[in-house]
Amino acid sequence: GAEEGAGSSDAAVGKQSSVRAAASCVLSFLPQIFSIVVFGSIVNECYVNKDSQHPELLCIFNENESACSYGIAVGLIAFFGCIFFFVVDLYFQQISSVKDRKRAVLLDLGFSGFLAFLWFVAFCFLANQWQRTTLTRGFSQGADAARAAITFSFFSIIIWVVLALRALQRYRLGTDMSLFATEQFGTDPSAPYPGYPGGSGVESTETYQSPPFTETLEPNPKGYQVPAY
């Protein structure tokens, strides 16, 4: 029964670890997908001709070039930032310095919070300009792409807030427990290493045992007689 209980406990722990790893992987790739959808939609379909009399390409968001440029810029920053921090997470366990680990987690926290703010501004900006847009025949062709950019800007706010909270949790966990607890010896070369705990110097006779493979010699072995002279 105890063995079955231990086996089920190990299986539950392994299952929880797998779920956490899968969730972490999803959180790493979702922001990239959302950013690709936003700046891809704007670049490919949000620059359209207003009508046949205006052949030049205009930004579909109320003909405001700043709206399209801002959405593209935030999407690209988020995309490359996700790649950078994904690489940092891969090599995080190999960082031996406690200070470098703290800097990495704080950088992740600051960047995630900053991106959440940028996506909030992008969502408000794009939604506001879209409400003011007059849909002509040319603009109606890119309406779905504009709505997609606005929608995934909103989703990006949520995912980057989640990433910021996760980074904050990692920082608190590392401060309280073992995430940053790989502190090395002092950098001073003259600093002594911690001494080995010594004993009292007195050995107890109770713990003494005779060495193995010893034989007790009899004074007069059987079958042997001392010759008489």
Side-chain angles (χ1 to χ4, degrees):
E3 293 179 355
E4 292 179 358
S8 61
S9 177
D10 293 341
V13 172
K15 186 176 181 180
Q16 291 179 358
S17 300
S18 300
V19 170
R20 290 177 181 177
S24 179
C25 184
V26 170
L27 286 176
S28 299
F29 285 101
L30 274 182
Q32 297 185 43
I33 297 174
F34 292 169
S35 62
I36 291 173
V37 172
V38 173
F39 75 77
S41 299
I42 296 176
V43 170
N44 293 326
E45 301 184 41
C46 288
Y47 285 95
V48 296
N49 297 324
K50 185 175 182 179
D51 50 42
S52 58
Q53 298 179 355
H54 299 81
E56 68 275 7
L57 295 178
L58 300 175
C59 177
I60 196 174
F61 294 99
N62 197 27
E63 303 181 23
N64 190 344
E65 178 66 24
S66 298
C68 289
S69 299
Y70 183 81
I72 294 172
V74 176
L76 290 175
I77 293 172
F79 177 76
F80 288 110
C82 288
I83 295 177
F84 173 77
F85 283 102
F86 179 74
V87 174
V88 171
D89 286 340
L90 288 179
Y91 290 96
F92 185 81
Q93 297 299 331
Q94 300 181 15
I95 302 176
S96 59
S97 174
V98 177
K99 293 182 180 180
D100 291 341
R101 286 193 173 196
K102 287 184 178 180
R103 291 191 188 101
V105 176
L106 287 176
L107 183 61
D108 187 10
L109 174 61
F111 184 80
S112 299
F114 181 63
L115 259 294
F117 172 74
L118 291 182
W119 280 119
F120 175 76
V121 175
F123 170 74
C124 295
F125 192 15
L126 295 178
N128 178 264
Q129 293 300 306
W130 180 246
Q131 289 179 351
R132 299 181 180 183
T133 301
T134 301
L135 286 180
T136 61
R137 184 176 181 180
F139 280 1
S140 60
Q141 297 177 359
D144 292 338
R147 296 189 184 98
I150 296 172
T151 301
F152 281 92
S153 296
F154 177 76
F155 290 158
S156 296
I157 299 172
I158 300 175
I159 196 66
W160 282 102
V161 168
V162 172
L163 290 174
L165 293 176
R166 188 184 70 164
L168 179 61
Q169 182 181 11
R170 289 178 66 190
Y171 180 76
R172 289 180 175 177
L173 178 65
T175 303
D176 295 338
M177 298 180 65
S178 61
L179 182 62
F180 308 131
T182 57
E183 192 72 63
Q184 306 295 323
F185 290 109
T187 56
D188 187 4
S190 62
Y193 286 94
Y196 185 82
S200 61
V202 179
E203 296 183 358
S204 175
T205 57
E206 296 179 356
T207 59
Y208 175 79
Q209 295 181 356
S210 61
F213 307 111
T214 58
E215 297 180 358
T216 303
L217 299 178
E218 297 180 1
N220 294 320
K222 295 180 180 180
Y224 177 78
Q225 297 179 358
V226 178
Y229 296 98

